[in-house]
């Protein structure tokens, strides 16, 4: 197989009024697991059903209802981890993350803070100009989705749809290795491509099945290299998180707008506050949503209704043996076997269906 080599892309540099600044970006991608049933109930995950029709008693937070783990959700998380060359943890556990939303009837979200099912991995992000960057994956954990609050159906009332409540999500957390808005979009596209090849997430961003929280900070040139040498975050600027982004274009716009906002604050002698922000595409601005919570704010504790999750290495090996050929390997094989250019191979392997059609004819 042909060994593809790339140059590392240069970081995005933004000229401020006084100094040049570089971007540092980390991402938390929420990918809806492709299964017929939810993470802890047998309720359907079908999109577009009548409001509140795909809701089991446990999803609605009814007293005395106990969660039961969906094995296929666990298998899909393992497949995703293997596809990202990540460590699979044979022992993991679920925690309760306590907070209030009107569309979170239990009053907590079942997640995996302390013991995630998938550990460190990586993904190669190609930019199409002969450059690529390896983005490190810190972890992947399973968690429940919340429901949906609807505010535009009545001028005086809001409505709640619990169909999405309890649907399984994989939260894929990257290291702060992304250095520009184009890289951020390419990273999302590559994750989406890999998961679609694996069949673990359909990647439908319009339906909210793939969305991202984008952590943006700025630093002076050379500071990131100091961070990489020491893994000391003090070399980087204070990060702000932009929540629930589900558009490649808006992700890029929001990153630039937020970076420019931080530069104005710092060069004006101010201090960037760590907080969660929302992006308004109509006004092309980010605005404060809330101060950034820490783990203790959510009062995490082990979920008393769920035993620690233990899986066998033989089961993981069985899943690994059935994985399809993934995009990077397929692209390299197309170049090596068919003499295709890097660009042509990238186009043909962009999705599994196109690649299969090409090979068939």
């Amino acid at each position: 197989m042909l060994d593809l080599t790339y140059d590392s892309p240069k970081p995005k540099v933004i000229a401020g009024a006084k100094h040049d600044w570089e971007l540092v970006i980390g991402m938390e991608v929420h990918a809806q697991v492709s299964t017929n049933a939810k993470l802890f109930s047998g309720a359907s995950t079908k999109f577009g059903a009548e409001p509140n029709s795909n809701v089991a008693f446990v999803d609605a937070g009814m007293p005395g209802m106990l969660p039961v783990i969906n094995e296929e959700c666990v298998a899909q998380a393992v497949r995703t981890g293997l596809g990202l060359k990540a460590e699979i943890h044979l022992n993991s556990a679920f925690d309760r993350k306590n907070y209030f939303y009107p569309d979170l009837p239990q009053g907590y979200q079942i997640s995996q803070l302390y013991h995630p099912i998938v550990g460190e991995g990586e993904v190669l992000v190609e930019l199409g100009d002969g450059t690529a960057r390896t983005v490190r994956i810190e972890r992947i954990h399973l968690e429940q989705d919340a429901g949906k609050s609807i505010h535009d159906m009545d001028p005086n009332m809001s409505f709640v749809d619990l169909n999405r409540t309890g649907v399984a999500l994989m939260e894929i957390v990257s290291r702060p290795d992304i250095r520009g808005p184009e890289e951020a979009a390419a990273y999302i596209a590559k994750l989406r491509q890999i998961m679609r090849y694996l069949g673990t997430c359909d990647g439908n961003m319009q339906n909210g099945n793939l969305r991202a929280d984008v952590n943006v900070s700025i630093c002076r040139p050379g500071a990131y290299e100091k961070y990489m040498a020491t893994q000391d975050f003090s070399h980087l600027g204070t990060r702000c998180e932009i929540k629930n982004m589900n558009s490649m274009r808006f992700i890029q716009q929001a990153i630039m707008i937020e970076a420019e906002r931080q530069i104005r604050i710092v060069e004006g002698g101010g201090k960037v506050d760590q907080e969660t922000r929302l992006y308004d595409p109509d006004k092309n601005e980010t605005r404060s949503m809330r101060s950034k919570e820490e783990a203790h704010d959510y009062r995490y504790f082990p979920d008393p209704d769920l035993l620690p999750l233990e899986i066998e290495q033989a089961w993981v090996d069985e899943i690994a043996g059935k994985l399809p050929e993934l995009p990077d390997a397929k692209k390299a094989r197309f170049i090596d076997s068919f003499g295709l250019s890097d660009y042509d191979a990238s186009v043909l392997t962009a999705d599994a269906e196109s690649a299969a059609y090409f090979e068939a004819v």
Side-chain angles (χ1 to χ4, degrees):
M1 182 176 292
L2 184 65
D3 180 24
L4 298 176
T5 57
Y6 301 90
D7 295 325
S8 296
K10 295 181 179 179
K12 178 74 174 180
V13 177
I14 303 175
K18 299 178 180 178
H19 307 288
D20 285 344
W21 299 87
E22 292 181 356
L23 281 169
V24 180
I25 302 161
M27 304 192 79
E28 300 165 12
V29 174
H30 300 266
Q32 180 174 319
V33 179
S34 293
T35 54
N36 293 325
K38 297 181 180 181
L39 182 55
F40 297 114
S41 83
S44 172
T45 60
K46 185 177 180 181
F47 181 82
E50 287 294 314
N52 298 305
S53 60
N54 293 343
V55 187
F57 288 134
V58 69
D59 304 322
M62 294 296 179
M65 297 297 104
L66 296 176
V68 178
I69 190 85
N70 181 343
E71 181 179 332
E72 181 59 17
C73 293
V74 178
Q76 293 287 58
V78 170
R79 289 186 187 98
T80 302
L82 293 170
L84 299 181
K85 304 175 184 176
E87 177 187 6
I88 306 300
H89 294 157
L90 300 183
N91 296 282
S92 60
F94 288 97
D95 309 292
R96 288 189 182 181
K97 179 182 181 181
N98 297 273
Y99 61 96
F100 172 77
Y101 274 175
D103 51 25
L104 190 70
Q106 292 171 311
Y108 57 84
Q109 178 188 37
I110 301 177
S111 185
Q112 292 186 311
L113 174 67
Y114 300 111
H115 304 287
I117 189 168
V118 178
E120 295 184 348
E122 64 181 35
V123 57
L124 181 69
V125 179
E126 302 162 70
L127 299 181
D129 59 357
T131 64
R133 189 183 303 282
T134 297
V135 176
R136 296 170 296 164
I137 302 298
E138 178 181 325
R139 56 189 277 147
I140 303 174
H141 62 258
L142 281 167
E143 65 183 20
Q144 298 172 304
D145 205 350
K148 183 179 181 181
S149 295
I150 303 166
H151 308 292
D152 57 359
M153 292 179 63
D154 187 282
N156 301 310
M157 294 187 293
S158 292
F159 297 84
V160 173
D161 180 6
L162 298 181
N163 278 350
R164 203 170 64 188
T165 305
V167 168
L169 298 177
M170 295 177 289
E171 181 168 338
I172 305 170
V173 182
S174 83
R175 298 287 186 180
D177 292 346
I178 302 166
R179 308 303 311 284
E182 296 82 9
E183 285 185 32
Y187 169 74
I188 295 291
K190 188 59 174 288
L191 279 183
R192 180 178 183 270
Q193 180 191 35
I194 292 171
M195 289 188 289
R196 283 169 60 87
Y197 264 73
L198 292 167
T200 57
C201 175
D202 65 17
N204 190 322
M205 300 184 77
Q206 183 176 354
N207 292 349
N209 295 356
L210 186 69
R211 53 194 190 267
D213 299 339
V214 186
N215 291 280
V216 180
S217 66
I218 58 170
C219 67
R220 294 295 305 280
Y224 183 80
E225 286 70 26
K226 293 178 182 177
Y227 154 72
M228 288 296 291
T230 63
Q231 296 299 299
D232 183 352
F233 285 97
S234 67
H235 294 296
L236 306 180
T238 301
R239 62 186 173 90
C240 291
E241 180 183 51
I242 309 170
K243 290 287 288 186
N244 288 329
M245 304 294 297
N246 64 348
S247 160
M248 305 286 195
R249 180 164 62 91
F250 289 163
I251 285 173
Q252 295 181 71
Q253 292 175 356
I255 288 171
M256 287 301 297
I257 289 298
E258 175 59 21
E260 291 167 357
R261 183 190 74 89
Q262 293 182 22
I263 290 170
R264 288 195 298 271
I265 292 173
V266 174
E267 292 194 340
K271 179 182 178 183
V272 175
D273 294 323
Q274 184 176 343
E275 61 181 350
T276 300
R277 302 181 68 84
L278 294 175
Y279 174 65
D280 185 336
D282 295 325
K283 297 181 180 180
N284 196 26
E285 67 179 18
T286 66
R287 60 175 181 267
S288 182
M289 179 181 177
R290 59 177 181 261
S291 60
K292 178 61 180 177
E293 295 92 343
E294 302 296 340
H296 61 263
D297 294 316
Y298 291 113
R299 295 185 295 111
Y300 279 96
F301 62 86
D303 193 296
D305 292 333
L306 290 160
L307 292 170
L309 180 61
E310 298 182 0
I311 58 178
E312 299 290 337
Q313 183 62 51
W315 186 61
V316 175
D317 294 340
E318 181 182 351
I319 293 173
K322 296 178 181 178
L323 292 182
E325 185 180 35
L326 293 175
D328 289 344
K330 190 177 290 289
K331 176 183 173 181
R333 181 170 61 82
F334 276 18
I335 292 173
D336 190 40
S337 299
F338 303 121
L340 298 178
S341 68
D342 184 279
Y343 173 79
D344 288 344
S346 295
V347 171
L348 289 169
T349 58
D351 61 78
E353 292 79 10
S354 296
Y357 178 78
F358 171 75
E359 289 203 83
V361 300

